[in-house]
Amino acid sequence: MRKLVTFFFPAFIVLLLSSGCASSYRKINPEQLKYHNSSNEDNIHVAYRYDVLASNRNKKNAKKERKNGINVIALQVTNNTPNAISIGDNAQLFIGDNPALIMEPQEAMLSLRQNVPIYLLYGLLTLLRLDITRDEGRRTQTTDSYPIGLVIGPAVTAGNMIMAGSSNKSLKNNLIQQYIFGKEIPPGATLSGLVCTRNMGYGPLRILLNED
């Protein structure tokens, strides 16, 4: 007796699976990064790094970063002036010759997060069916059909939505906790952190003291 195992697998389910699953967020720690670019003006040394989402394997967030014209930048700032400095207070971040367009972490997160409701489409997996056909000879066949999608669909849907929600929460916390804008840097101290800018490209970065 021969067995033939087949799946009822509609084309739209194949397209759905090809779009990819939710992914976890890998936290960025600016203090542990290696920096290859730097500037030193007004006695403020700045090491910086672009594309930290991609380099930290946060591919879905990096894709949103490029699509929305946002740059998540890691900074390591050393204050060699005799006074405390604070970006946005008595010092300003420049990209090229232009003041950086700084985004609040919450605003940036809304453009960088994974789309949670989209994973409701995985509920279509409930249509998945397993058919087992037995050839019993003499042109006689019997088929047993199992609606395996009733188990797989809800499980995959819930798993992806939970994963995406958790990832978005981690992204938001990371951007808020590492937000360097407005933090005081005492004389002789070094502070590392993140900043998000909009539509500024990848120009050289520097920090200048505000003119009195």
Side-chain angles (χ1 to χ4, degrees):
M1 179 176 66
R2 292 183 302 171
K3 292 183 179 181
L4 177 63
V5 180
T6 60
F7 290 90
F8 175 69
F9 215 66
F12 60 80
I13 294 182
V14 177
L15 293 174
L16 173 65
L17 293 177
S18 67
S19 65
C21 299
S23 61
S24 60
Y25 178 78
R26 295 174 174 84
K27 181 180 178 182
I28 301 170
N29 190 339
E31 293 183 353
Q32 297 178 358
L33 294 178
K34 293 181 179 180
Y35 296 91
H36 306 293
N37 300 296
S38 64
S39 66
N40 194 356
E41 295 190 40
D42 284 354
N43 289 321
I44 303 173
H45 182 269
V46 186
Y48 59 95
R49 180 168 177 171
Y50 288 102
D51 291 328
V52 289
L53 285 173
S55 64
N56 219 45
R57 296 181 295 165
N58 293 306
K59 295 181 180 179
K60 287 187 176 291
N61 306 111
K63 184 177 180 180
K64 292 287 188 72
E65 180 185 24
R66 293 189 295 271
K67 178 181 178 181
N68 293 296
I70 296 171
N71 277 329
V72 180
I73 309 170
L75 305 176
Q76 193 171 76
V77 184
T78 301
N79 178 15
N80 295 315
T81 74
N83 303 306
I85 64 172
S86 174
I87 303 172
D89 182 13
N90 60 350
Q92 191 165 12
L93 178 68
F94 282 77
I95 295 179
D97 295 325
N98 301 309
L101 301 176
I102 305 295
M103 301 177 67
E104 293 287 335
Q106 294 89 338
E107 178 190 4
M109 180 266 181
L110 293 176
S111 297
L112 298 171
R113 65 183 176 179
Q114 295 183 51
N115 187 344
V116 177
I118 192 67
Y119 295 111
L120 285 171
L121 292 176
Y122 276 102
L124 295 173
L125 288 172
T126 55
L127 299 175
L128 184 62
R129 189 176 71 239
L130 172 66
D131 294 332
I132 301 178
T133 301
R134 297 179 179 85
D135 185 355
E136 298 179 346
R138 296 183 181 181
R139 299 181 180 178
T140 301
Q141 292 182 338
T142 60
T143 301
D144 295 324
S145 184
Y146 301 92
I148 60 175
L150 295 179
V151 175
I152 295 175
V156 173
T157 301
N160 276 276
M161 293 186 72
I162 292 172
M163 174 71 77
S166 176
S167 174
N168 290 340
K169 182 178 180 180
S170 297
L171 167 66
K172 180 180 179 180
N173 290 339
N174 195 194
L175 294 180
I176 291 175
Q177 292 169 4
Q178 295 291 343
Y179 189 49
I180 196 172
F181 193 82
K183 291 185 178 179
E184 183 177 286
I185 309 174
T190 297
L191 181 66
S192 301
L194 298 174
V195 67
C196 299
T197 65
R198 183 184 294 280
N199 299 322
M200 296 296 296
Y202 292 84
L205 189 151
R206 56 191 176 144
I207 295 177
L208 301 178
L209 294 173
N210 292 340
E211 297 180 0
D212 295 332

